[in-house]
Amino acid sequence: MQLSFINRLLFGLDTRPAPSLTSIRKAYVNREARVEQGIAPGQEGRVYMDGSWWPARCDRPLILLPGTPVRVVGMSGITLLVEPTYQPFYIV
């Protein structure tokens, strides 16, 4: 513990283990974000969440316009999988 404190103090080194990808995924699922760059079926867009921009996609046949509130339902790599927080209208 003492060496860890000294490393951080003198060298800016963080000797704590990095968080696992599983814990990161769990932390983001069910969080709300806002669409910044439109998301179309089969294409990625961008969302804003907690002060950061993230690549995102929606696996439903929807077009999500900028400003749309979304909820994170999963992750694929660093891409957030999102769905709108409201019940969308489908155009047939």
Side-chain angles (χ1 to χ4, degrees):
M1 183 68 176
Q2 199 70 306
L3 184 59
S4 166
F5 173 76
I6 293 170
N7 278 336
R8 283 197 313 264
L9 183 66
L10 296 177
F11 306 109
L13 299 176
D14 192 352
T15 57
R16 295 174 291 185
S20 71
L21 191 55
T22 302
S23 67
I24 292 171
R25 284 186 175 140
K26 285 181 182 178
Y28 289 146
V29 170
N30 288 323
R31 306 279 302 273
E32 288 197 12
R34 184 180 70 244
V35 175
E36 288 289 316
Q37 178 184 16
I39 301 171
Q43 296 181 349
E44 284 188 5
R46 186 174 66 192
V47 298
Y48 184 76
M49 181 178 70
D50 293 339
S52 298
W53 287 272
W54 292 83
R57 76 171 191 260
C58 179
D59 290 334
R60 295 168 67 184
L62 300 171
I63 295 174
L64 302 175
L65 300 174
T68 303
V70 293
R71 179 176 313 283
V72 178
V73 295
M75 289 182 78
S76 177
I78 65 164
T79 301
L80 301 180
L81 305 176
V82 299
E83 292 188 352
T85 58
Y86 61 88
Q87 182 64 32
F89 294 101
Y90 290 95
I91 299 175
V92 187

